[in-house]
Amino acid sequence: MGANDFAKLPHIGESMKRKEDERFLTGVGQYTDDIHQANQKYAVFVRSPHAHAALKSVDVGAAEKMPGVVKVFTGKDMEGKMGGLPCGWLISNPDGSPMKEPPHPILAHTKVRYVGDHVAMVVADTLQQAKDAAEAVEVDYDVLDAVIDMRTARNGPALHDEAPDNHCYKWTLGDKAAVDEAFAKAAHVTKLDITNNRLIPNAMEPRAANASYNRASDEYVLYVANQNPHVERLLLTAFVLQLPEHKVRVIAPDVGGGFGSKIFLYAEDVAVTWAARQLNCAVKWTAERSESFVSDAHGRDHITHAEMAMDKDGKFLAMRVHTDANLGSYLSTFASSVPTILYGTLLAGQYTAPQIYVEVDGWFTSTAPVDAYRGAGRPEATYVVERLVTRCAWELGLSQDEIRKRNFITSFPYQTPVALQYDIGDYHACMDQAQELADVKGFEARRTASEAKGLKRGIGYSSYIEACGLAPSNIAGALGARAGLFEAGEVRVHPTGSVTVFTGSHSHGQGHETTFAQLVAARLGIDPSQVDIVHGDTGRVPFGMGTYGSRSLSVGGTAIMKAIDKIEAKAKKIAAHLMEASDADIEFSGGEFSVKGTDKKIPFAQVALTAYVPHNYPLDKLEPGLNETAFYDPTNFTYPAGTYICEVEVDPATGVVRVDRFTAVDDFGVIINPMIVEGQVHGGLVQGIGQALLEHGVYDPESGQLLTGSYMDYTMPRAADFPEFRLGHVCTPCTHNPIGSKGCGEAGAIGSPPAVINAVLDALKPLGVTELDMPATPHRVWQAIQSAQA
């Protein structure tokens, strides 16, 4: 069945209400903090108040004598008994040497390297007792100079002995000589220096972990707020605690948002699991919001210089980029891959620039580790490309849409100069629809109306592309991945014809319980209410790589489809036996098996029952049951793309920016549930616009204190900050998965920041403002206006 045929099946393209919402809206969802185990104790972590300091001593004597305290663990208790947190992607320097990979201890041994670093763990009978005892732990610090600015990190004090200049790696991609040659012949070169600001994830549910140990079976159970429980278990057992994997069960129950920050293995998860065995009790930890600000992995934080070479007509000839990427104090699970593989390979954008060369330097600083955050490398690349393309247009006297149309890729498949091959797309169709929905023709009239009110109106474009469903495993492995990138699905048909699906994908807001049910129901011709989706439990799901990188439907959904292929093949044999025909003559459609050229047919439920009543067919040919498992390793990424158009009004007197109109047209291939997709796009747009206008993680450059450590100082967007979004869709089905789907969960956050900043700069051009970094806060905008006018 091809993607076009699949798209015509019942329930595909239907905006079904989410099955999971009833339990969420009625308060019966179960999150990690809702789990209470027998003989449960509570953990609280003592965290460093300093960004960089030697640990002279950690005195736990007074704390361990306090009421209810079971034990206080320090780094010395764990030293030599476990490994540190691993990095899951090895990056090589241009000379082939590996990146610097210093140890990442669970509790600090000799030194702390950022505010929030783990120094000790207190375990007590109650949470309050653990908090009180944590206050009594006495730590003697020898405070050292902090390394906050990655531009001066090379000359700062070394955070790790393994990286004396704080440099982790240099990574390059592309043909430098060819790029330099193209620049030498260019009619025009545009240059741009930009910053991709640091973001601090703020999921509704904070991170949490609750571990127990059973001495009788020598087994552990870890409940954890995590996006990929199988990966968590693999890293926890194989790399840190050196435990047999089958002795550890990881359960990620309902998870209240993740946005990438819950992909990783964190020190707290390891510490409570290890302590559960040491103390023979369950140990529970739930982050407070202030802890989340300092200890969750942050996102973005790039400084980039980009250049575009063009001919006299504005056709792109070559692009070169240098980026300094802040990795934070330690390498988080996938930190090394985000500014490299997931960033540099997307710098072609939607355009036919024949040559691209990129260099990335990764730096250690005295800040929280930086890793994947909604989009992971793709928003950073899109921001560079789309800001640069708009700057090219302005310098050449072209409109933002015209320069894009002149350089769009129009023939597919298209091999980019930065490794990826796009399978399909229609970028002109996205642009045309976006311009129509945005009423671009009426922009000048709206600009005049804004001027009459003393406001400046601007319009900004962004034509993004992203790569979703990281693949295939063998290529990723050659590029440094230390894990596979496949997905698993098990489909269990019960005797009554109802179905349970076990998927390695994990839902933490994406609506998998609904979308995957629609998928299975469409294939089997049954009602979605007859399909249950099980995820998030290594004890029930065969295996899985979890949810990240907008991979769930295209990778996880395809694994399920491949399992159904096996179900259908076996079911046809049973149906053939029941109807006394050859299985080659059996057709399956609309939930019924039929014999070609006859009126013979039987329903799916009858075949399902027969599978479990083996006297109805010969056991020497088929074993009983109707239960199949499949693994799917994609042959390529999927490539969602689209055009976003933003209009803003800026008050020159105050610097306040108001997003007045926002249009987003995306190509996600075949869409299963339009309502869920619309919700995903809305959420992504909010996060992207939040980055562009409001959010910014800031550290004091001297002390290394996080200055934006609460909602008082880190501004989160609110509903009143946004207009009604206008959404549109183009469909070019993915050519290499049977569903024809592409990723959708991160698109809004990828395409929106450059559209907003391009709009702000368009509004400010008459005032002489030519450049502005994110976030475009009122103070920054006002300062830029004053500086330009001075």
Side-chain angles (χ1 to χ4, degrees):
M1 178 182 293
N4 290 325
D5 294 327
F6 180 81
K8 297 174 184 176
L9 292 175
H11 309 302
I12 302 302
E14 179 184 339
S15 290
M16 276 183 55
K17 291 184 178 180
R18 299 198 334 163
K19 297 171 69 174
E20 49 268 71
D21 282 348
E22 182 175 353
R23 72 173 184 274
F24 295 146
L25 295 173
T26 57
V28 295
Q30 188 174 58
Y31 300 86
T32 300
D33 191 58
D34 295 323
I35 306 296
H36 296 282
Q37 303 196 71
N39 192 25
Q40 177 180 287
K41 310 299 180 184
Y42 293 83
V44 167
F45 287 86
V46 177
R47 299 183 182 275
S48 170
H50 304 292
H52 191 201
L55 279 178
K56 297 177 70 175
S57 66
V58 182
D59 187 349
V60 303
E64 288 194 322
K65 294 176 183 177
M66 294 184 70
V69 173
V70 179
K71 177 68 177 175
V72 181
F73 295 103
T74 69
K76 289 185 178 179
D77 295 312
M78 296 181 176
E79 194 170 5
K81 298 176 182 176
M82 64 183 71
L85 296 179
C87 180
W89 203 295
L90 175 65
I91 294 299
S92 296
N93 295 300
D95 63 3
S97 61
M99 67 186 185
K100 306 291 176 39
E101 193 175 359
H104 187 172
I106 307 306
L107 295 178
H109 293 169
T110 59
K111 186 190 271 192
V112 291
R113 295 177 173 87
Y114 68 103
V115 172
D117 205 351
H118 313 75
V119 176
M121 178 177 68
V122 178
V123 181
D125 291 336
T126 70
L127 179 58
Q128 189 58 53
Q129 288 171 333
K131 287 183 176 182
D132 291 343
E135 297 274 345
V137 174
E138 296 182 4
V139 185
D140 188 4
Y141 296 97
D142 182 9
V143 180
L144 305 171
D145 289 340
V147 182
I148 302 302
D149 190 340
M150 58 182 152
R151 290 168 293 193
T152 59
R154 186 183 297 278
N155 300 316
L159 297 180
H160 303 278
D161 294 341
E162 294 79 5
D165 57 358
N166 294 312
H167 188 247
C168 180
Y169 59 73
K170 177 180 283 291
W171 180 84
T172 64
L173 181 63
D175 187 335
K176 184 177 187 301
V179 167
D180 290 344
E181 182 180 353
F183 268 84
K185 298 177 180 177
H188 184 85
V189 173
T190 292
K191 300 180 180 181
L192 186 62
D193 290 294
I194 57 176
T195 298
N196 212 297
N197 43 320
R198 176 179 283 242
L199 301 181
I200 302 177
N202 275 281
M204 290 181 69
E205 179 200 18
R207 286 192 296 117
N210 189 338
S212 61
Y213 173 70
N214 186 320
R215 285 190 173 179
S217 61
D218 190 30
E219 291 178 330
Y220 300 77
V221 176
L222 171 64
Y223 291 92
V224 62
N226 187 271
Q227 296 174 216
N228 44 4
H230 281 94
V231 175
E232 169 106 356
R233 182 179 69 170
L234 175 63
L235 297 175
L236 178 72
T237 56
F239 292 91
V240 186
L241 295 180
Q242 285 83 49
L243 296 170
E245 196 170 358
H246 68 284
K247 290 293 186 180
V248 179
R249 181 181 181 186
V250 175
I251 303 172
D254 289 327
V255 174
F259 312 115
S261 69
K262 292 175 183 170
I263 295 173
F264 325 118
L265 176 65
Y266 285 95
E268 295 90 353
D269 309 347
V270 176
V272 298
T273 304
W274 181 77
R277 177 169 186 168
Q278 308 306 308
L279 304 177
N280 195 32
C281 64
V283 181
K284 178 179 182 178
W285 168 79
T286 302
E288 295 188 347
R289 189 60 65 178
S290 57
E291 278 187 290
S292 295
F293 268 95
V294 298
S295 66
D296 287 5
H298 293 177
R300 317 289 192 247
D301 207 348
H302 288 189
I303 297 171
T304 297
H305 176 75
E307 301 179 356
M308 184 75 82
M310 292 165 281
D311 67 14
K312 60 182 178 59
D313 298 318
K315 286 286 289 182
F316 300 154
L317 302 176
M319 181 181 181
R320 57 187 174 202
V321 175
H322 181 271
T323 292
D324 289 300
N326 195 340
L327 303 173
S329 51
Y330 301 99
L331 286 173
S332 179
T333 307
F334 294 109
S336 55
S337 66
V338 175
T340 52
I341 304 298
L342 300 181
Y343 165 73
T345 56
L346 263 294
L347 288 172
Q350 297 187 12
Y351 310 108
T352 56
Q355 297 293 340
I356 298 174
Y357 178 72
V358 55
E359 290 183 345
V360 178
D361 285 292
W363 300 96
F364 292 114
T365 64
S366 310
T367 63
V370 179
D371 209 318
Y373 179 64
R374 196 171 193 169
R378 285 77 56 81
E380 296 91 319
T382 299
Y383 189 67
V384 171
V385 174
E386 292 305 297
R387 287 289 318 285
L388 184 60
V389 168
T390 289
R391 173 65 59 198
C392 291
W394 289 339
E395 290 186 4
L396 292 178
L398 298 173
S399 64
Q400 295 182 63
D401 61 327
E402 178 58 29
I403 197 163
R404 287 172 167 81
K405 291 175 182 177
R406 289 188 187 186
N407 289 282
F408 276 156
I409 298 162
T410 57
S411 179
F412 295 90
Y414 179 81
Q415 179 62 54
T416 74
V418 279
L420 300 184
Q421 185 180 82
Y422 305 159
D423 63 328
I424 196 168
D426 190 339
Y427 308 147
H428 280 280
C430 290
M431 172 68 80
D432 292 344
Q433 188 180 144
Q435 289 187 300
E436 183 178 347
L437 286 174
D439 184 25
V440 171
K441 293 179 180 178
F443 171 72
E444 287 302 330
R446 293 190 293 274
R447 192 205 292 269
T448 301
S450 295
E451 288 282 354
K453 297 184 291 183
L455 304 175
K456 299 295 181 183
R457 179 177 287 265
I459 189 168
Y461 282 70
S462 171
S463 294
Y464 80 92
I465 189 168
E466 61 166 321
C468 300
L470 188 57
S473 291
N474 59 338
I475 300 230
L479 294 173
R482 288 167 165 170
L485 300 168
F486 54 84
E487 196 48 84
E490 178 187 352
V491 177
R492 187 178 301 172
V493 179
H494 303 293
T496 58
S498 62
V499 178
T500 301
V501 176
F502 301 85
T503 174
S505 300
H506 185 279
S507 180
H508 45 279
Q510 291 86 351
H512 293 173
E513 293 175 39
T514 303
T515 305
F516 285 178
Q518 288 178 253
L519 201 67
V520 174
R523 274 293 304 275
L524 297 180
I526 60 179
D527 192 84
S529 63
Q530 293 183 275
V531 183
D532 276 341
I533 307 297
V534 176
H535 61 92
D537 186 345
T538 64
R540 300 182 69 189
V541 176
F543 200 80
M545 300 307 295
T547 293
Y548 51 85
S550 301
R551 72 191 298 269
S552 296
L553 188 60
S554 60
V555 184
T558 299
I560 294 170
M561 290 297 96
K562 289 189 172 297
I564 291 179
D565 288 343
K566 297 179 183 180
I567 294 281
E568 182 177 326
K570 181 175 180 180
K572 282 181 175 179
K573 295 180 185 297
I574 298 173
H577 175 77
L578 293 176
M579 292 187 286
E580 299 180 329
S582 167
D583 57 296
D585 293 329
I586 301 298
E587 295 179 329
F588 179 58
S589 178
E592 292 182 325
F593 295 88
S594 59
V595 181
K596 292 178 186 177
T598 75
D599 59 357
K600 288 185 176 181
K601 58 183 179 181
I602 55 175
F604 175 75
Q606 182 179 345
V607 173
L609 180 60
T610 303
Y612 291 92
V613 185
H615 61 258
N616 281 334
Y617 63 88
L619 281 174
D620 60 330
K621 294 182 179 179
L622 288 174
E623 62 184 23
L626 205 52
N627 182 15
E628 298 288 352
T629 299
F631 286 75
Y632 174 63
D633 196 342
T635 57
N636 195 358
F637 291 86
T638 67
Y639 297 99
T643 288
Y644 291 178
I645 301 176
C646 175
E647 281 187 39
V648 300
E649 279 189 327
V650 181
D651 186 343
T654 63
V656 170
V657 176
R658 183 178 69 88
V659 177
D660 184 58
R661 301 161 74 94
F662 201 104
T663 301
V665 174
D666 300 284
D667 177 2
F668 298 138
V670 175
I671 291 175
I672 307 301
N673 188 311
M675 179 188 69
I676 289 177
V677 168
E678 182 176 319
Q680 288 277 35
V681 174
H682 280 197
L685 293 177
V686 166
Q687 282 185 282
I689 297 170
Q691 174 179 7
L693 297 180
L694 302 168
E695 300 183 48
H696 193 194
V698 180
Y699 284 87
D700 182 272
E702 300 298 326
S703 69
Q705 294 294 324
L706 182 63
L707 302 179
T708 52
S710 75
Y711 291 139
M712 295 293 289
D713 301 295
Y714 187 88
T715 309
M716 295 286 283
R718 301 183 180 187
D721 295 321
F722 305 100
E724 182 176 348
F725 298 128
R726 302 180 182 193
L727 305 186
H729 298 286
V730 168
C731 179
T732 60
C734 175
T735 61
H736 53 81
N737 71 57
I739 304 170
S741 67
K742 309 175 185 180
C744 77
E746 298 165 295
I750 291 168
S752 55
V756 174
I757 298 301
N758 285 338
V760 172
L761 287 170
D762 186 58
L764 297 180
K765 276 196 298 182
L767 300 178
V769 177
T770 59
E771 198 45 59
L772 186 70
D773 275 326
M774 295 187 289
T777 60
H779 183 237
R780 280 190 171 188
V781 173
W782 184 85
Q783 278 188 319
I785 294 171
Q786 302 309 307
S787 178
Q789 293 182 340

